[in-house]
Amino acid sequence: MAVRSAEAKWSGTLQEGKGNVKLESGAFEGAYSFSSRFEEGTGTNPEELLGAAHAACYSMALNAALGRADFTPEYVKTTAKVHMVKTDAGLTITKIDLITEAKIPDIDDATFQEHAEGAKTGCIISRALSAVEMSLEATLV
């Protein structure tokens, strides 16, 4: 199967330094800093990028599951909220909230919820992050 890569470079001290992250595909390149990670500064951060990857993976997994069940979604939109808190072990990602909405013709909510929950545990990124608590809020529109 495929091997995907991204790179990050950090220059300077932790608090005054700066970094740049880029994807091998060239689809994204952006700056990150102490401020963008631990405060409200401009730029991205690893947790935001992890959330983007998880939201994208989950949306695709749900779409695929629905397709296998002969449903054709008009769209699946997901937000992943990555919670990073200070614990005794240090800063830790303690929870990821997946919030998804989908527009799918001819499906009832119970069937949708079943597929949404299955995609949460079946998504590749969810499986990679299985040590982290995950919640799901799935809405059919």
Side-chain angles (χ1 to χ4, degrees):
M1 287 299 299
V3 175
R4 307 292 185 208
S5 68
E7 70 177 48
K9 180 179 180 183
W10 186 264
S11 301
T13 65
L14 177 62
Q15 291 192 348
E16 286 83 34
K18 60 183 176 178
N20 190 69
V21 63
K22 64 181 175 180
L23 307 183
E24 177 184 47
S25 66
F28 174 80
E29 182 171 350
Y32 68 109
S33 65
F34 182 90
S35 175
S36 68
R37 187 167 193 196
F38 301 113
E39 299 166 353
E40 297 300 321
T42 302
T44 191
N45 57 70
E47 294 73 28
E48 180 179 61
L49 295 168
L50 182 68
H54 201 179
C57 183
Y58 178 81
S59 290
M60 290 180 76
L62 179 52
N63 188 287
L66 291 163
R68 286 190 298 274
D70 294 324
F71 294 103
T72 305
E74 290 184 28
Y75 70 86
V76 175
K77 177 183 173 187
T78 305
T79 299
K81 294 185 177 185
V82 178
H83 298 254
M84 181 175 64
V85 299
K86 189 172 184 176
T87 67
D88 291 341
L91 291 171
T92 304
I93 294 173
T94 58
K95 185 177 183 186
I96 299 173
D97 299 320
L98 294 172
I99 303 155
T100 194
E101 71 173 40
K103 186 171 184 183
I104 308 157
D106 305 319
I107 193 171
D108 61 82
D109 190 61
T111 302
F112 170 66
Q113 294 299 328
E114 180 181 323
H115 289 292
E117 189 61 39
K120 182 182 93 173
T121 57
C123 149
I124 295 166
I125 302 295
S126 289
R127 291 195 321 263
L129 300 173
S130 62
V132 177
E133 177 187 348
M134 290 178 206
S135 70
L136 174 64
E137 178 185 319
T139 304
L140 189 58
V141 294

